[in-house]
Amino acid sequence: MTDPTSLTQLGRESRIPESPEAAVLERVPNPQKGVLYLARFAVPEFTSLCPVTGQPDFAHLVIDYAPADWLIESKSLKLYLGSFRNYGAFHEDCTVAIGRRIVETAEPRWLRIGGYWYPRGGIPIDVFWQSGPPPEGLWLPDHGVPPYRGRG
């Protein structure tokens, strides 16, 4: 397993980074290397800022990945995602950038991310990205996020 001293955030006091670029996303060895399975991170209270107005934007993110040699260390993911709180970017940019950063760090067999954004200007925006076709035999559960229906 990973030497705990190689992790810079887990088990230590950590602050939310100033920006996604400044955030350190860490990985740990996958103890089930060679087994095809899906790991999911659900982030129901993701926030970022509109790059034009500076108003807050809110989303429910669902990140599914099939690990290979590495797992994403969850505290570092939490801090990375928190770094978007004061970061201005459009919904599409946030969603795709998060997926690409996780792929770059963990080098999974496969990843998909769904960004279910709450309405801005009366229009909800849902953004989906995946690293390629899913591996054959991988169970892909539904994201479980209902489509936006207003206050009805």
Side-chain angles (χ1 to χ4, degrees):
M1 210 52 189
T2 293
D3 173 3
T5 61
S6 68
L7 296 172
T8 63
Q9 299 166 106
L10 186 63
R12 295 170 173 77
E13 183 178 334
S14 305
R15 299 196 185 281
I16 294 176
E18 293 294 318
S19 69
E21 294 82 17
V24 176
L25 190 56
E26 297 183 322
R27 65 187 190 180
V28 296
N30 179 3
Q32 295 294 322
K33 179 179 166 179
V35 176
L36 180 61
Y37 67 96
L38 186 92
R40 172 172 286 173
F41 294 109
V43 187
E45 297 178 347
F46 179 82
T47 60
S48 65
L49 297 177
C50 172
V52 177
T53 66
Q55 295 292 316
D57 287 322
F58 303 92
H60 183 151
L61 302 180
V62 180
I63 303 164
D64 291 330
Y65 75 110
D69 295 338
W70 302 100
L71 302 175
I72 288 294
E73 193 284 307
S74 61
K75 181 177 181 182
S76 73
L77 179 64
K78 177 181 172 180
L79 293 167
Y80 169 62
L81 295 175
S83 73
F84 282 85
R85 191 165 288 173
N86 294 311
Y87 182 75
F90 291 112
H91 302 333
E92 297 85 349
D93 185 27
C94 286
T95 306
V96 175
I98 290 166
R100 292 181 69 195
R101 177 80 180 268
I102 293 171
V103 166
E104 176 185 295
T105 301
E107 302 171 354
R109 292 180 185 189
W110 178 79
L111 177 138
R112 75 175 175 186
I113 182 170
Y116 299 87
W117 293 83
Y118 292 91
R120 178 198 291 168
I123 301 173
I125 300 172
D126 296 336
V127 181
F128 307 97
W129 181 81
Q130 64 183 26
S131 61
E136 187 174 333
L138 182 65
W139 178 49
L140 298 176
D142 182 78
H143 277 177
V145 180
Y148 185 77
R149 296 212 182 268
R151 295 187 182 186

